[in-house]
Amino acid sequence: MPSFWKPRLGAVYLGDGRCRFRVWASRCERVDLHVTAPVDRVVPMRPVGTGYFEVVLDGVEPGTRYLYRLDGGAERPDPASRLQPTTVHEPSAVVDPAFPWTDAHWHGVPLDKYVIYELHVGTFTPEGTFDAVVPYLDELVGLGATAVELMPVAQFAGRRGWGYDGVYPFAPQNSYGGPAGLKRLVDACHARGLAVVLDVVYNHFGPEGGYLHEFAHYFTDRYKTPWGNAVNVDGPKSDEVRRYLIENALYWVHEFHVDALRLDAVHAIYDVTAAPFLMELGNVVGRYATDLNRQVYLIAESDLNDPRVLRSPDLGGLGLHAQWADDLHHCVFTLLAGEECPYHRDYDQFGLLVNAYQHGYAYTGQFSATRERRHGNQPANLAGRQFVVCIQNHDQIGNRKFGERFGALVSFEAQKLAAAAVMLAPYTPMLFMGEEYGEPAPFQYFVDFSDPDLVEAVRRGRREEFQMTGGDPPDPQAADTFRRSVLNRGLRHADTHKVLWDFYREVLRLRRESPALRFPDRERMRVTAFQEHHTLAVERWDGDAETLLVINLSDRPAEVRLTLRTGTWQRDLDSAAAEWNGPGSVAPPELVARSEVQLTVAATSVVAYTLLIDPVTHR
């Protein structure tokens, strides 16, 4: 273990029946450790400064249950609990971190090789566990994925939830299989060459079972968020809050061998310090990864279109490695699905799609009607790999009233077009589970709270969110809402579902094997827009290798004229081809370019050509 970090918080099992318990409780004068099982006993903890209390206890084996008694009154689970065996309200358990890892030679996957597959453990399989994911990993490798992203797994209330209501950041969800199950999944991923991205939530904590405010100054009323008071990363006593969060990040990287952390909604982490929390987190994780000789990344979710999130601290940025860039999704979705709502109306201009394809952001300082102000900035000098793009993710599906997937809203031809346009863009691509075969099941919003008042508040909130659309959304507390969201993975081998899976596999093979496409480099790209046809021509190159991608988003064939490098261009892909259940290709199998060429592309389709290079003359 690197010398600059060791686990400090929670119950740290030392071996031979000894365990150190340490908790930050700056709001308390006294803290007692109450061991509830196997033998009931209460032990005073000694204050060790800065609001911390600690005790080292013998006769404590893994599985021992315990609570902290605060000032002789309320007894609460450990804020750094490694496992909540029953509920978020009941005792925590001591965990032995030992595990028979088989990935000793694993160093990670370079970011420019990431093809991310996002999944929700609870609905990926009927079993809804970490172990149940493992049998499908070979299939994901065969598809072309190189990284698996898990939606949050920190312990939340009940057995059903998206994970963003977690209240014990160090405790993998018990209903998914707990710490051991997560380690088995990560080890299995690494054995197949798959990196693991874990979604973590540092901007808020869930509403049920969250007792942090009783222990210490974890929150501040200086800022308000959609979830209440903000997490305190810049006010009095915020140094210790930062330690808690940074230790959590290192815990996932060290103890679970996670390769990247996706940081939820960083725009809701309010911080006006000269050395922001996110920059500090990046510095510490970077030092740790170097010490381990591993590639570890921090990927932000941010809707600010602010390149400072990604820029190096030397250039005034936070230094995060990548961010979700949803603008490309918004543009492609709006132009293909044609939905009329204020949010999507902000992205219904073809020119914004051109901007998103060129820059990663659609809005780079223009006026946004929905926001009623200018939005974004130019992401100059940022690499394409730093922008994670998709056509589906949990938010874009699950935050809809009925959780409909993209495939339920557009034609089969539009699904193929979107897949190729996004997967072959010069950015880091991401799929959402089931997208690759056109999963028809929705992904709806679901919870499993035990507090009736909280349940009713969540129901009321969902109704109010969609009150202008008529009718009520699905009941988030109902078990049927959860069950409807479970994948039907058997469909992957049937009819058009298999065709779509094969198409995704071919697109990702093309991305992986084409010299001009394999590196997400937006600098070696030229985008030509044909506004009247809603068609883009994208030329990408690497040395002598060059690929042409023509994307026709209109419902009519598009005839375009292009000036290309002299030579013969071979067609590699046509989404309209009969082999992909299309209406038939109208694009020729070869283009012979002398200067200008004329090309017809079928309606709602993508065609890709590669310039043939003589291996001797390189011409």
Side-chain angles (χ1 to χ4, degrees):
M1 183 182 297
S3 59
F4 68 85
W5 181 79
K6 291 182 180 180
R8 300 167 63 248
L9 296 171
V12 178
Y13 185 64
L14 305 174
D16 298 323
R18 301 190 84 220
C19 187
R20 187 186 73 234
F21 298 85
R22 186 181 177 97
V23 63
W24 184 48
S26 58
R27 294 191 182 277
C28 302
E29 296 293 328
R30 173 186 168 191
V31 178
D32 298 310
L33 173 68
H34 181 188
V35 176
T36 63
V39 177
D40 194 289
R41 53 176 166 160
V42 177
V43 181
M45 302 180 73
R46 64 185 181 90
V48 291
T50 328
Y52 289 94
F53 293 80
E54 180 178 300
V55 65
V56 177
L57 212 57
D58 291 315
V60 175
E61 298 290 348
T64 297
R65 309 282 179 98
Y66 68 99
L67 295 161
Y68 292 127
R69 181 178 295 171
L70 308 181
D71 287 329
E75 295 189 341
R76 302 301 188 202
D78 189 345
S81 170
R82 303 313 199 251
L83 174 64
Q84 289 299 114
T86 53
T87 75
V88 294
H89 305 287
E90 296 180 56
S92 305
V94 174
V95 172
D96 185 350
F99 181 80
W101 291 100
T102 63
D103 65 351
H105 300 292
W106 174 260
H107 299 290
V109 174
L111 186 57
D112 57 21
K113 294 292 191 294
Y114 266 45
V115 175
I116 302 172
Y117 188 94
E118 185 192 17
L119 66 86
H120 175 267
V121 173
T123 54
F124 185 70
T125 66
E127 297 86 353
T129 64
F130 296 125
D131 286 329
V133 175
V134 174
Y136 296 97
L137 295 179
D138 290 333
E139 183 178 298
L140 300 186
V141 172
L143 176 67
T146 63
V148 172
E149 177 169 329
L150 305 177
M151 287 176 64
V153 303
Q155 184 70 47
F156 52 83
R159 299 180 62 83
R160 308 183 300 272
W162 279 19
Y164 296 95
D165 287 326
V167 287
Y168 294 98
F170 292 78
Q173 176 72 11
N174 54 22
S175 59
Y176 291 171
L182 179 55
K183 290 177 180 180
R184 288 191 294 270
L185 173 56
V186 173
D187 201 45
C189 285
H190 289 173
R192 292 161 175 81
L194 290 166
V196 177
V197 183
L198 181 62
D199 198 336
V200 295
V201 184
Y202 294 152
N203 55 41
H204 75 284
F205 291 82
E208 180 173 341
Y211 299 110
L212 288 178
H213 62 284
E214 296 183 23
F215 282 87
H217 298 76
Y218 284 97
F219 302 98
T220 176
D221 60 6
R222 296 167 60 229
Y223 313 104
K224 296 297 181 183
T225 75
W227 311 281
N229 287 346
V231 176
N232 175 27
V233 296
D234 72 348
K237 302 189 185 300
S238 61
D239 285 353
E240 305 314 314
V241 180
R242 291 186 179 209
R243 289 179 189 276
Y244 176 80
L245 299 176
I246 289 172
E247 179 160 333
N248 178 255
L250 295 178
Y251 168 75
W252 293 122
V253 173
H254 175 79
E255 192 159 317
F256 292 87
H257 296 199
V258 164
D259 301 287
L261 298 175
R262 184 262 192 186
L263 309 174
D264 182 62
V266 299
H267 48 269
I269 299 175
Y270 296 98
D271 186 354
V272 297
T273 60
F277 160 69
L278 290 172
M279 185 173 70
E280 182 182 2
L281 176 65
N283 288 338
V284 174
V285 170
R287 288 163 51 206
Y288 189 48
T290 299
D291 211 23
L292 288 175
N293 191 25
R294 281 175 50 196
Q295 299 177 89
V296 180
Y297 305 109
L298 296 179
I299 303 171
E301 180 197 18
S302 171
D303 66 1
L304 301 178
N305 286 19
D306 186 349
R308 289 175 295 186
V309 172
L310 302 176
R311 286 207 177 110
S312 163
D314 294 339
L315 298 174
L318 297 175
L320 303 185
H321 300 97
Q323 73 155 97
W324 277 24
D326 285 348
D327 279 9
L328 184 57
H329 160 274
H330 299 338
C331 294
V332 173
F333 178 91
T334 304
L335 291 169
L336 290 177
E339 285 195 340
E340 285 293 326
C341 69
Y343 181 74
H344 289 131
R345 202 172 298 131
D346 232 11
Y347 294 91
D348 64 358
Q349 302 170 44
F350 181 73
L352 288 173
L353 171 63
V354 178
N355 223 32
Y357 222 90
Q358 288 178 315
H359 304 297
Y361 299 150
Y363 280 90
T364 55
Q366 314 94 301
F367 182 80
S368 160
T370 301
R371 298 173 179 86
E372 299 185 59
R373 61 170 173 80
R374 290 170 295 173
H375 178 59
N377 204 345
Q378 283 282 354
N381 303 316
L382 294 178
R385 65 177 179 272
Q386 294 182 273
F387 298 85
V388 177
V389 298
C390 68
I391 194 58
Q392 298 187 50
N393 64 38
H394 71 271
D395 275 331
Q396 305 308 332
I397 302 169
N399 287 335
R400 297 177 60 84
K401 182 176 181 178
F402 296 109
E404 309 100 315
R405 291 169 173 267
F406 183 66
L409 303 168
V410 301
S411 68
F412 187 66
E413 298 308 308
Q415 289 182 70
K416 291 182 292 177
L417 180 153
V422 173
M423 297 298 118
L424 298 179
Y427 305 108
T428 296
M430 182 176 73
L431 300 81
F432 184 66
M433 61 177 193
E435 168 187 342
E436 71 277 17
Y437 62 86
E439 172 62 56
F443 185 70
Q444 298 178 335
Y445 180 69
F446 45 83
V447 298
D448 186 21
F449 295 132
S450 63
D451 179 349
D453 292 337
L454 176 58
V455 170
E456 185 50 41
V458 172
R459 287 171 173 155
R460 184 170 59 252
R462 291 291 285 179
R463 288 194 298 267
E464 291 173 354
E465 182 178 356
F466 298 105
Q467 62 183 342
M468 302 300 292
T469 62
D472 289 341
D475 180 0
Q477 181 73 8
D480 282 347
T481 303
F482 168 80
R483 283 193 285 266
R484 278 193 295 270
S485 301
V486 176
L487 296 187
N488 305 285
R489 297 200 61 84
L491 293 175
R492 173 249 186 271
H493 303 284
D495 305 324
T496 56
H497 298 289
K498 182 180 186 303
V499 173
L500 187 59
W501 192 92
D502 288 341
F503 182 79
Y504 265 88
R505 180 177 60 179
E506 177 61 16
V507 167
L508 291 174
R509 182 202 65 78
L510 190 62
R511 177 187 177 94
R512 181 175 63 251
E513 296 182 3
S514 169
L517 300 177
R518 65 174 59 145
F519 296 110
D521 185 353
R522 65 190 183 96
E523 298 302 320
R524 288 177 286 187
M525 173 179 70
R526 180 167 51 250
V527 178
T528 304
F530 299 89
Q531 175 76 41
E532 67 276 18
H533 298 302
H534 272 203
T535 298
L536 287 180
V538 182
E539 298 166 76
R540 294 181 57 194
W541 59 87
D542 182 24
D544 292 323
E546 188 165 349
T547 293
L548 169 69
L549 192 69
V550 183
I551 307 165
N552 178 13
L553 288 92
S554 75
D555 57 4
R556 299 183 301 277
E559 187 174 286
V560 298
R561 291 181 179 275
L562 295 164
T563 301
L564 300 175
R565 277 177 59 189
T566 299
T568 300
W569 295 71
Q570 176 181 279
R571 192 181 69 201
D572 292 324
L573 181 77
D574 189 344
S575 65
E579 66 178 309
W580 308 122
N581 278 19
S585 177
V586 297
E590 285 188 347
L591 293 174
V592 178
R594 295 291 177 261
S595 58
E596 189 176 77
V597 298
Q598 182 172 304
L599 174 64
T600 300
V601 182
T604 319
S605 73
V606 174
V607 61
Y609 287 89
T610 296
L611 177 62
L612 297 179
I613 302 294
D614 187 298
V616 177
T617 64
H618 298 282
R619 300 171 64 183

